């Protein structure tokens, strides 16, 4: 068998080259995604930054702990409270206590009290510390002493610049005074910039951030622990590496890796599907193409088992060589991918591909298994065919759709239909989740591809005139036609389903927001609006003002799951003037300090029922349900009153112009009342907050993930189409020569080949469009059940571009080898 397989390599090198290239590229892609996924599991250990030189940091309780029958459930608090004053007083008896305060002063710019600068440690590189309320020290290297900066809290003057240096000792810390005069300390040991900050005087920082949730104590850690434990405040004592938990967003590395893990996991799964799909199809077509050869072997006495063993030996050789080559290519491709995701800002700067063995193992054995399975499925039918029938089948495809393939296709089609119906009946919101609408199309794509020989013939008859050679050739060689249409089907269906689902969901969210917002103007502030500013806004003549604050509530579902729900703290009377809250029961006017407005996703959502919740500061309350909202696209959270959102700051003000008032005058007065806030018209705010520009409005991670998937699909389409056409053209030399002998010119033959390719691409595109329509219809039905009225968004430009690319690839891959085969005298090609 080995000798026969090696001879087959020499005689049919075109077929085996195509299979080798398809498989090696598939293994390479699986290796790349596997290495990237393995490297995104664990974040590197990060040391403390702002408090690297602090001996002990005491952090107020910032986590909600709820006991359940299976253990404590935890969630981070939206509004951690301050460290109790009695605890602070007790700590002062141990040593110096410095209260830390952090507050936003602009986009990506935060403020701190100057007394905390020494604990990074920051050292002055120019100027002096701040002494007046409008003076600051800046860490931005592009800022100079004497410069005036406009912030959310007014204009300030830079009186000094500072830089963090990596020469801190964990056990010692000087006061802020020690930072003075350290202008020459910026030399060796400078640390990377980890924040853009302005340091205010301690008094001004206390005005801007009255609540202090953490402090630094210069004392022995054990003594601090005893005092904190005795206070019963739930505060944590941080020393050593734990001090990083006092930095801003200490879990950002883990969160970034979670995003990367989801990105590479999705891309890897789709890569595996596309590569396995195309490789198996390529191997099956390569084996089916050799029916004449198998028929001849059967006539000279070869048994079905010998034929199967020959094919499997060939597949084993190709599989081993291609898998090894693919692993080698993947080892070079993975670092390149890591560099791209870092450059795009999706991954943190430290992300690198690590040393992992299991991705190579998975990719190698997957490639080998796909090669063997693809060859086995086709060789089984060839091996059991009678010799005379095998010779007859070499001229035409009499039974291109076998019973096992038909049954598998019907089973997958029924599975897709049943799971969709169950989801619509039980949990339509699940169809709006990214994992669901990313993976669900695979069932329909596979089912349609398996049943394609049944669907291809009627589509070809629809697209081509009766009695033409294009119709005769494409309907006679149904296996070849289906093999060429399959990769086009995959690419078009993935493009339409993934991009269409994202765009449809974005449009639905935008539609939901447009129907809900009645305000003429929307004012937002990342730093929050204080009480005096709100009083000025409410005093604007001709304006109905409704202020809201972002908060959260927590509820224990089924006694074991602590679920966080985003909440808006509102005044119900003012809210009614600017917002049309969608309700399925109750009235928004019924909202009070003892009640809550929930959505239907909550386990308990009947008006009048009481639910036990934990507020954003951890306070436990029993609130009556005043009204119920539909689930919608998932953005309908919870409404509470400001009394149940202690610590939340007003970050959005919606304004309705009263009848008879001039909008321009109201707008001018609003700008004067809150000059540091962002004021937008209703349409401008909706466009910024809920972009409905289809797929272009998706976040960068989603776009990158889908570009990876669709790029891989298009690459594989090019490869599969080129392979299939090259293999098919090598067997059509006699056919093309017969056309020339019958009087056709070279141009006519090439035009025929091109038209056949375009017809097959059109068939694949129509099947892909059918899958797209079915998937998007399911999402549209789910949105309707969620009380969202939004049309289906079909990405026609992207579908057109994908189909055109497939058509160009198919025509090029068909015409070029056909033109080479037609060279020379006509009689020499008989």
């Amino acid at each position: 068998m080995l000798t026969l397989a090696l001879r087959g390599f020499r005689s049919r090198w075109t077929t085996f080259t195509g299979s080798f290239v398809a498989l090696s590229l598939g293994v390479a892609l699986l290796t790349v995604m596997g290495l990237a996924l393995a490297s995104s599991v664990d974040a590197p250990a990060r040391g403390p930054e702002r408090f690297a030189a602090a001996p002990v940091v005491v952090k107020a309780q910032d986590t909600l702990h709820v006991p359940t029958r299976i253990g404590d459930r935890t969630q981070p608090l939206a509004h951690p409270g301050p460290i109790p004053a009695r605890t602070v007083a007790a700590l002062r008896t141990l040593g110096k206590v410095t209260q830390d305060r952090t507050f936003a002063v602009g986009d990506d710019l935060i403020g701190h009290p100057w007394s905390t600068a020494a604990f990074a440690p920051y050292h002055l590189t120019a100027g002096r510390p701040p002494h007046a309320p409008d003076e600051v020290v800046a860490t931005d290297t592009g800022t100079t002493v004497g410069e005036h900066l406009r912030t959310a809290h007014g204009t300030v003057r830079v009186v000094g610049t500072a830089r963090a240096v990596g020469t801190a000792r964990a056990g010692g810390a000087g006061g802020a005074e020690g930072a003075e005069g350290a202008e020459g300390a910026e030399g060796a040991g400078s640390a990377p910039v980890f924040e853009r900050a302005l340091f205010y005087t301690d008094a001004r920082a206390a005005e801007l951030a009255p609540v202090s949730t953490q402090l630094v104590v210069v004392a022995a850690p054990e003594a601090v622990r005893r005092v904190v434990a005795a206070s019963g405040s739930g505060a944590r004592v941080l020393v050593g590496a734990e001090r990083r938990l006092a930095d801003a967003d200490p879990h950002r590395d883990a969160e970034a890796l979670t995003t990367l893990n989801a990105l590479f996991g999705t891309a890897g799964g789709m890569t595996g599907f596309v590569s396995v799909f195309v490789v198996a199809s390529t191997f099956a077509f390569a084996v089916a193409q050799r029916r004449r050869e198998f028929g001849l072997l059967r006539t000279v006495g070869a048994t079905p088992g010998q034929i199967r063993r020959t094919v499997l030996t060939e597949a084993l050789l190709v599989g081993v060589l291609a898998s090894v080559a693919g692993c080698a290519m993947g080892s070079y491709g993975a670092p390149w991918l890591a560099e791209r995701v870092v450059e795009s800002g999706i991954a943190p700067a430290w992300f690198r591909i690590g040393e992992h063995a299991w991705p190579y193992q998975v990719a190698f054995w997957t490639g080998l298994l796909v090669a063997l399975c693809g060859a086995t499925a086709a060789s089984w039918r060839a091996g059991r065919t009678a010799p005379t029938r095998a010779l007859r089948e070499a001229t035409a495809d009499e039974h291109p759709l076998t019973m096992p393939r038909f049954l598998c296709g019907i089973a997958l089609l029924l599975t897709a239909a049943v799971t969709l119906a169950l989801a619509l009946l039980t949990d339509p919101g699940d169809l709006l989740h990214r994992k669901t609408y990313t993976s669900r199309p695979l069932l329909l794509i596979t089912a349609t591809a398996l049943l394609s020989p049944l669907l291809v013939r009627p589509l070809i008859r629809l697209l081509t005139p009766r009695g033409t050679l294009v119709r005769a050739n494409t309907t006679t060689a149904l296996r070849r036609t289906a093999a060429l249409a399959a990769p086009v089907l995959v690419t078009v269906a993935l493009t339409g389903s993934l991009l269409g689902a994202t765009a449809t969901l974005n449009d639905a969210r935008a539609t939901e927001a447009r129907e809900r917002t009645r305000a003429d103007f929307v004012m937002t502030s990342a730093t929050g609006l204080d009480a005096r500013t709100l009083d000025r806004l409410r005093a604007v003549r001709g304006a109905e003002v409704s202020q809201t604050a972002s908060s959260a509530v927590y509820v224990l579902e089924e006694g074991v799951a602590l679920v966080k729900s985003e909440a808006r703290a509102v005044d119900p009377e003012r809210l009614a003037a600017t917002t049309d809250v969608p309700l399925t029961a109750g009235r928004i006017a019924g909202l009070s300090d003892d009640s809550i407005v929930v959505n239907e996703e909550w386990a308990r959502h009947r008006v009048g029922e009481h639910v036990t919740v934990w507020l954003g500061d951890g306070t436990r309350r029993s609130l009556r349900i005043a009204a119920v909202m539909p689930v919608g696209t998932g953005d309908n959270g919870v409404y509470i009153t400001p009394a149940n959102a202690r610590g939340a700051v007003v970050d959005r003000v919606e304004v309705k112009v009263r009848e008879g008032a001039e909008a321009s005058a109201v707008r001018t007065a609003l700008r004067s009342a809150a000059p540091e806030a962002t004021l937008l018209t209703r349409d401008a705010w909706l466009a910024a907050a809920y972009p409905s520009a289809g797929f272009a409005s998706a976040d960068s991670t989603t776009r990158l993930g889908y570009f990876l998937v669709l790029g891989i699909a298009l690459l594989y389409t090019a490869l599969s189409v080129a392979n299939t056409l090259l293999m098919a053209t090598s067997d059509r030399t006699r056919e093309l020569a017969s056309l020339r002998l019958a009087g056709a010119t070279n141009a006519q033959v090439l035009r025929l080949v091109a038209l056949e390719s375009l017809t097959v691409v059109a068939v694949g595109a129509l099947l892909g469009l059918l899958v797209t329509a079915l998937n998007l219809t399911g999402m549209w039905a789910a949105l309707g059940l969620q009380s969202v009225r939004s049309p289906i968004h079909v990405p026609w430009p992207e579908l057109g571009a994908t189909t055109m690319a497939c058509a160009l690839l198919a025509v090029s891959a068909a015409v070029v080898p056909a033109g080479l085969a037609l060279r020379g005298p006509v009689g020499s090609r008989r």
Side-chain angles (χ1 to χ4, degrees):
M1 294 299 105
L2 181 60
T3 302
L4 188 61
L6 292 175
R7 289 178 178 176
F9 281 150
R10 290 195 297 269
S11 62
R12 302 188 68 90
W13 64 270
T14 304
T15 298
F16 289 112
T17 299
S19 301
F20 175 88
V21 173
L23 184 57
S24 60
L25 182 58
V27 173
L29 291 172
L30 288 174
T31 303
V32 169
M33 292 302 166
L35 287 171
L37 186 62
S39 301
S40 65
V41 173
D42 296 318
R46 181 185 289 274
E49 295 171 330
R50 279 197 63 218
F51 298 100
V56 183
V57 179
V58 179
K59 187 175 180 64
Q61 182 177 359
D62 60 354
T63 304
L64 174 65
H65 296 265
V66 177
T68 71
R69 62 177 181 270
I70 60 173
D72 283 2
R73 306 289 93 180
T74 63
Q75 284 280 5
L77 288 173
H79 313 299
I83 298 174
R86 63 179 182 276
T87 304
V88 177
L91 290 172
R92 291 189 190 280
T93 64
L94 303 178
K96 182 178 180 180
V97 174
T98 303
Q99 290 188 315
D100 179 46
R101 306 175 194 274
T102 299
F103 47 93
V105 294
D107 293 336
D108 193 29
L109 189 63
I110 57 177
H112 300 301
W114 174 244
S115 61
T116 63
F119 300 117
Y122 278 104
H123 289 302
L124 284 172
T125 58
R128 59 173 177 82
H131 297 310
D134 62 343
E135 294 180 347
V136 296
V137 170
T139 64
D140 196 338
T141 55
T143 305
T144 58
V145 174
E147 184 176 351
H148 286 76
L149 301 177
R150 185 176 180 181
T151 72
H153 306 291
T155 302
V156 295
R157 183 167 60 93
V158 178
V159 296
T161 59
R163 179 179 302 176
V165 294
T167 57
R169 296 188 304 271
E177 301 85 354
E180 289 189 58
E183 301 177 12
E186 78 271 24
S190 293
V193 176
F194 56 85
E195 65 177 353
R196 293 182 61 236
L198 297 181
F199 286 95
Y200 290 74
T201 62
D202 286 16
R204 179 58 175 162
E207 292 178 6
L208 298 177
V211 176
S212 173
T213 60
Q214 56 192 26
L215 46 85
V216 179
V217 183
V218 182
E222 291 304 322
V224 175
R225 284 194 179 95
R226 286 193 296 270
V227 169
V228 171
S231 70
S233 62
R236 286 187 294 173
V237 178
L238 309 177
V239 297
E242 288 183 334
R243 291 170 299 173
R244 66 179 180 82
L245 299 176
D247 291 332
D249 196 10
H251 304 293
R252 61 186 180 276
D253 290 344
E255 292 169 356
L257 287 187
T258 299
T259 301
L260 284 179
N261 198 270
L263 168 65
F264 293 134
T266 301
M270 300 297 284
T271 297
F273 168 78
V274 175
S275 60
V276 168
F277 186 94
V278 173
V279 169
S281 176
T282 302
F283 267 82
F285 179 72
V287 174
Q289 195 181 24
R290 301 167 62 189
R291 285 167 298 161
R292 181 185 295 273
E293 176 186 336
F294 296 148
L296 291 173
L297 289 173
R298 292 285 284 118
T299 60
V300 298
T303 65
Q306 288 175 320
I307 291 178
R308 294 187 190 111
R309 285 194 296 273
T310 300
V311 173
L312 289 176
T313 301
E314 294 170 349
L316 181 63
L317 292 174
V318 173
V320 170
L321 294 175
S323 296
V324 170
C327 289
M329 288 189 293
S331 65
Y332 290 99
W336 179 87
L337 176 63
E339 292 175 2
R340 301 290 81 77
V341 294
V342 169
E343 289 177 0
S344 65
I346 302 299
W350 48 259
F351 179 69
R352 297 291 185 274
I353 299 298
E355 299 291 334
H356 304 281
W358 69 260
Y360 294 101
Q361 296 280 350
V362 171
F364 177 87
W365 292 111
T366 299
L368 186 56
L369 182 63
V370 169
L372 293 176
C373 290
T376 300
S379 65
W380 183 263
R381 183 168 182 261
R384 68 177 182 171
T385 305
T388 54
R389 186 175 179 183
L391 288 174
R392 184 171 69 251
E393 282 191 354
T395 60
D397 293 329
E398 294 181 357
H399 304 289
L401 183 61
T402 62
M403 185 55 66
R405 179 171 179 169
F406 174 76
L407 293 177
C408 287
I410 292 297
L412 288 175
L413 192 61
L414 289 175
T415 301
V418 170
T419 53
L420 176 61
L422 287 176
L424 290 175
L425 291 174
T426 59
D427 187 12
D430 182 63
L431 296 176
L432 307 182
H433 296 161
R434 185 180 302 173
K435 288 184 179 179
T436 302
Y437 65 71
T438 298
S439 59
R440 182 168 287 277
L442 304 186
L443 273 177
L444 275 177
I445 290 173
T446 307
T448 306
L450 288 174
L451 298 175
S452 59
L454 190 66
L455 305 172
V456 162
R457 184 175 275 127
L459 287 176
I460 290 175
R461 289 175 178 172
L462 179 67
L463 294 172
T464 58
R466 180 179 299 177
T468 58
L469 276 176
V470 172
R471 173 182 284 194
N473 287 344
T474 50
T475 55
T476 300
L478 278 179
R479 279 198 180 90
R480 183 182 69 212
T481 303
L484 287 169
V488 179
L489 156 67
V490 173
T491 305
V492 173
L494 285 178
T495 301
S497 297
L498 299 184
L499 303 191
T502 303
T504 299
L505 196 55
N506 286 343
D507 283 348
R509 290 190 176 115
T511 300
E512 203 174 34
R514 283 195 301 271
E515 293 177 350
R516 187 170 54 225
T517 305
R518 297 170 52 194
D520 297 304
F521 299 103
V522 178
M523 180 173 288
T524 58
S525 173
T527 60
L529 301 173
D530 58 28
R532 286 179 295 181
T533 302
L534 293 175
D535 289 339
R536 291 196 298 269
L537 291 173
R538 284 191 285 264
V540 172
R541 184 172 300 177
E544 290 279 356
V545 175
S546 172
Q547 70 273 9
T548 66
S550 177
S551 186
V553 296
Y554 311 85
V555 63
L556 196 62
E557 298 280 2
E558 299 180 357
V560 293
L562 186 61
V563 180
K564 177 183 178 180
S565 294
E566 300 297 327
R568 299 296 300 182
V570 301
D571 181 331
E573 294 183 2
R574 294 182 179 274
L575 180 69
T578 61
T579 305
D580 187 8
V581 180
L583 297 176
T584 59
R587 297 180 306 113
I588 196 69
L591 178 64
S592 66
D593 292 346
D594 297 319
S595 63
I596 186 173
V597 176
V598 302
N599 60 59
E600 292 179 326
E601 195 171 22
W602 280 46
R604 305 184 69 177
H605 56 267
R606 294 181 59 183
V607 173
E609 285 187 317
H610 279 76
V611 290
T612 298
V613 300
W614 286 263
L615 304 178
D617 61 356
T619 303
R620 179 172 174 166
R621 291 289 310 274
S622 178
L623 300 176
R624 178 181 54 83
I625 297 177
V628 179
M629 298 179 289
V631 177
T633 59
D635 288 340
N636 291 335
V638 169
Y639 284 111
I640 54 178
T641 60
N644 290 322
R646 290 188 296 270
V649 296
V650 174
D651 56 1
R652 189 168 78 211
V653 174
E654 299 180 21
V655 181
K656 180 73 176 176
V657 178
R658 292 195 181 102
E659 187 176 352
E662 292 187 4
S664 58
V666 171
R667 183 173 187 171
T668 301
L670 291 172
R671 287 192 182 280
S672 299
E676 308 304 333
T678 301
L679 180 64
L680 297 173
T681 63
R682 171 184 179 272
D683 292 340
W685 179 76
L686 286 172
Y690 299 94
S692 58
F695 179 69
S697 62
D699 62 86
S700 57
T701 303
T702 299
R703 289 199 302 271
L704 178 60
Y706 286 164
F707 285 151
L708 276 175
V709 171
L710 298 179
I712 290 167
L714 187 58
L715 177 63
Y716 250 117
T717 295
L719 177 65
S720 181
V721 168
N723 273 342
T724 305
L725 286 172
L726 285 171
M727 292 187 291
T729 302
S730 65
D731 276 359
R732 297 185 68 187
T733 303
R734 290 174 180 267
E735 177 189 339
L736 299 178
S738 297
L739 289 173
R740 289 286 288 114
L741 289 171
T745 64
N746 282 356
Q748 289 174 322
V749 173
L750 294 179
R751 188 158 56 247
L752 171 66
V753 172
L755 288 174
E756 288 178 5
S757 301
L758 290 175
T759 301
V760 174
V761 169
V763 168
L766 286 176
L767 291 176
L769 190 60
L770 174 64
V771 172
T772 297
L774 292 174
N775 280 309
L776 295 184
T777 300
M779 173 171 278
W780 175 78
L783 286 169
L785 292 173
Q786 299 288 83
S787 303
V788 180
R789 297 179 299 275
S790 180
I792 294 176
H793 186 98
V794 181
W796 292 113
E798 291 84 356
L799 286 174
T802 300
T803 304
M804 286 296 298
C806 292
L808 290 174
L809 290 168
V811 170
S812 301
V815 170
V816 171
L820 295 175
L822 289 173
R823 291 187 304 178
V826 174
S828 65
R829 297 186 293 272
R830 286 179 299 176

